Amino acid sequence: MARVMHPVNARLDEHLPTDHKLSQVYRVGAGLTGVLLVVFGVLGLIHRIGFFDTGGDTVLALNTNGALSVLSICFGLLLIIGMAIGGTFASTLNIVLGVLFIASGFVNLALLDTGLNFLAFRIPNVLFSFVVGVMLMWFGMYGRVGSALPHDNPYWRARHPEQAAREDRARARKAV
C-alpha cells in the first residue's frame, strides 16, 4: 500500500545540497522575476492610479491600477526572499507561483469584459501572466523533473536510491 501511495521514493521538497549548481538557477529565476514585478508595481504606484481604477492606465505597456501594483510588489518581494533563501525553497516557490500566475491568467481572461475585473487586466496582462508563469515553472523545475536527469543529480539519486548505491559502489571499486 505504501508503494501505491508514494510510487517514487522521493518527495518534491527533498533538500538540495547548499552548494549545488542548481540552486543558482532557482535563485536567478526567482530574483529576475521578483525584480521585474517590483519595478512594475512601484511604477504603478508612482503614477498614483486609483486602487481599483479600471480606467486603462498603463505602465510598461501593461494595464494596471493600485491593487495590481500592490499585488505585484508583494509577489515580487516574495520571489526576492526566495532568491535569498535559495535551494529547494526557491525551486518550490518558483513552481507554486508559476502555477498561480498561469491560473491568474485564465481567471482574468474569463473576467476581462465583466464588472469583476477589479485588477484592470487586458489581453497583454493575461499574456504577461502566462509568460511569467511558464518562466517561473521552468526555472523551478529545471534539473528537478524530467526523464533525462544525469545520475549525479540529487533529485535523480533520491528517486533511484538502489541504482545510485550500485553506481557509488562501482565508482568506489574503480577508485581502489
Side-chain angles (χ1 to χ4, degrees):
M1 186 64 172
R3 188 73 173 155
V4 172
M5 296 302 290
H6 300 286
V8 177
N9 192 20
R11 294 181 4 200
L12 190 59
D13 61 353
E14 288 289 329
H15 291 286
L16 184 68
T18 56
D19 60 343
H20 200 276
K21 60 188 174 187
L22 287 175
S23 184
Q24 292 178 359
V25 174
Y26 308 143
R27 285 176 182 243
V28 167
L32 290 176
T33 309
V35 167
L36 175 70
L37 290 172
V38 168
V39 167
F40 173 74
V42 167
L43 289 175
L45 289 179
I46 288 174
H47 282 90
R48 297 178 191 236
I49 303 166
F51 201 72
F52 290 113
D53 184 23
T54 57
D57 297 305
T58 60
V59 170
L60 300 176
L62 296 172
N63 212 42
T64 190
N65 62 16
L68 184 58
S69 296
V70 169
L71 277 173
S72 297
I73 291 170
C74 291
F75 280 108
L77 290 175
L78 185 60
L79 284 165
I80 291 170
I81 290 168
M83 177 195 69
I85 295 172
T88 307
F89 177 80
S91 172
T92 303
L93 182 67
N94 285 346
I95 293 168
V96 169
L97 290 183
V99 169
L100 288 176
F101 267 88
I102 290 173
S104 168
F106 281 117
V107 168
N108 284 297
L109 181 63
L111 299 176
L112 278 182
D113 292 326
T114 69
L116 298 173
N117 186 9
F118 63 89
L119 292 178
F121 262 58
R122 299 285 183 256
I123 288 295
N125 296 74
V126 171
L127 295 175
F128 178 79
S129 187
F130 288 150
V131 168
V132 168
V134 169
M135 184 175 71
L136 281 172
M137 287 179 60
W138 183 83
F139 275 118
M141 292 181 185
Y142 183 81
R144 195 167 178 176
V145 296
S147 61
L149 294 175
H151 290 204
D152 66 340
N153 182 295
Y155 297 107
W156 182 90
R157 295 179 68 75
R159 292 181 190 118
H160 304 91
E162 295 88 13
Q163 187 173 350
R166 283 192 303 269
E167 290 177 6
D168 288 343
R169 285 190 300 271
R171 259 192 303 279
R173 280 192 299 266
K174 284 183 183 179
V176 173

